[in-house]
Amino acid sequence: MDIVLSIITVNYNGLDYTCALIDTIPFGSLPMEVIVVDNGSAHDEASELAARYPQIRTIRSEKNLGFAGGNNLGIQAAKGRYLYLVNNDTEFPSPWNVEAMIERLESSAAIGVVCPKIRFAWATKPIQYAGYTRLSSITLRNHAIGYGEEDHGQHDVPHPTPYAHGAAMMLKREVISEAGLMPECYFLYYEELDWSLQIRQAGFDIWYDPCSTIFHKESKTTGQNSALRTYYVCRNRLLFARRNISGIHLILCYIYIIGIVSLRDMLKYLLKGRTDLLKATLRGIRDFKKIR
């Protein structure tokens, strides 16, 4: 039987979260495979997962390849016509209605990627993502439509969106052959935005479809105020600008990010005694020039 759907998730020292995700997948609902990439976890969590869930496929990487690298390992091993990349700190509701996303992809040859409605997993489960607005070419700012809103059905109309969300995106297999794999130069953060541009440049549309929902626990691996997150967000914001903006807009973007945003953040970290975050910001500014 041909595999219709490959669900791919990346695990990094997150066994409990990955197990919680797998427990919400309704195996047998359609021809599918579940691939877990253990991305350099301190212990061999791939073996633990394989023993606990014999119906899944596991891939063990001894080295942490980053978000893109881990997903790319899973993509290259996948056999499904459609690939569903989901964070391991997400969970599916019941009913999961993933078939609606497949139907959206099948509705037009131009649609290459579709994202579900993403809601936070806590409390009243407010909306995290109902599509994105476009990034400013100078500030690199945009916003997730519906972010923080209670879900009363106000974002229940499917629509095209300029960027997919890294927590949950389903794509046709042919997108990979036309647009390439997810860019691995970022390691963490901004890769899905860059990839979205690659996908659109290859001639595919990206859609948001609220007929399917996923719940996201958000940043359980890196932490919201960690030096790791601060470093990569700072570095990769500049890297994204260099890769995708040119001319006077790139110069203005550098001025804004380094001269306004980073300076403001470093002053804030200094006043709060977070020298670790201040140093992480400085390293991010220094290191983006080294990445190719």
Side-chain angles (χ1 to χ4, degrees):
M1 182 181 295
D2 290 341
I3 296 174
V4 174
L5 180 66
S6 297
I7 297 176
I8 300 166
T9 193
V10 177
N11 174 83
Y12 174 68
N13 296 326
L15 181 66
D16 290 343
Y17 295 113
T18 302
C19 289
L21 167 63
I22 295 170
D23 287 341
T24 65
I25 296 174
F27 290 92
S29 58
L30 75 165
M32 67 178 177
E33 63 181 354
V34 175
I35 299 173
V36 179
V37 178
D38 186 27
N39 201 19
S41 295
H43 304 288
D44 183 3
E45 295 185 353
S47 296
E48 294 184 54
L49 287 163
R52 190 177 303 189
Y53 303 100
Q55 69 272 44
I56 72 171
R57 296 173 60 194
T58 60
I59 300 171
R60 168 71 177 173
S61 172
E62 295 299 329
K63 178 182 177 182
N64 185 348
L65 302 174
F67 179 77
N71 274 296
N72 287 342
L73 270 186
I75 289 170
Q76 291 171 36
K79 299 177 181 178
R81 295 203 304 270
Y82 303 100
L83 312 177
Y84 196 6
L85 312 184
V86 296
N87 278 14
N88 75 320
D89 61 349
T90 58
E91 293 184 7
F92 293 108
S94 180
W96 73 332
N97 204 21
V98 165
E99 291 88 347
M101 297 174 66
I102 295 175
E103 290 173 6
R104 176 62 59 187
L105 288 172
E106 291 179 339
S107 70
S108 170
I111 300 176
V113 180
V114 63
C115 293
K117 179 188 291 181
I118 302 175
R119 295 170 61 183
F120 290 112
W122 53 77
T124 56
K125 296 182 171 60
I127 295 170
Q128 181 180 13
Y129 169 89
Y132 276 127
T133 61
R134 290 188 179 273
L135 286 165
S136 162
S137 61
I138 295 175
T139 67
L140 289 188
R141 293 192 180 279
N142 70 334
H143 71 270
I145 298 168
Y147 186 92
E149 297 177 14
E150 297 297 315
D151 186 9
H152 302 297
Q154 69 272 34
H155 298 293
D156 280 358
V157 177
H159 60 81
T161 180
Y163 315 105
H165 197 293
M169 64 173 84
M170 185 185 293
L171 56 148
K172 294 173 178 173
R173 174 169 290 280
E174 52 263 39
V175 168
I176 305 300
S177 59
E178 296 295 326
L181 293 166
M182 197 180 298
E184 297 186 13
C185 56
Y186 291 96
F187 192 79
L188 191 64
Y189 302 118
Y190 276 88
E191 52 273 281
E192 76 272 21
L193 296 178
D194 198 311
W195 202 30
S196 294
L197 293 181
Q198 290 179 214
I199 290 167
R200 285 167 43 211
Q201 288 165 2
F204 294 101
D205 295 330
I206 301 170
W207 273 67
Y208 157 76
D209 196 324
C211 293
S212 184
T213 297
I214 198 166
F215 297 111
H216 188 202
K217 299 164 188 174
E218 171 85 297
S219 291
K220 294 297 184 182
T221 301
T222 60
Q224 287 288 357
N225 295 305
S226 69
L228 179 72
R229 182 180 188 278
T230 299
Y231 169 78
Y232 280 113
V233 167
C234 177
R235 189 197 76 166
N236 291 349
R237 185 187 290 130
L238 291 163
L239 179 58
F240 179 89
R242 193 186 74 200
R243 283 169 55 91
N244 296 288
I245 302 173
S246 59
I248 187 64
H249 285 95
L250 179 58
I251 295 171
L252 292 173
C253 186
Y254 283 162
I255 291 171
Y256 176 77
I257 293 173
I258 298 173
I260 297 176
V261 176
S262 296
L263 194 61
R264 177 205 65 197
D265 289 346
M266 287 188 290
L267 179 60
K268 178 180 66 177
Y269 299 146
L270 185 62
L271 292 174
K272 291 184 176 181
R274 293 298 304 270
T275 56
D276 59 329
L277 301 185
L278 188 152
K279 292 176 181 177
T281 302
L282 288 171
R283 289 198 306 273
I285 294 171
R286 177 198 67 193
D287 290 351
F288 94 94
K289 302 174 189 175
K290 304 176 183 178
I291 308 301
R292 297 298 170 200

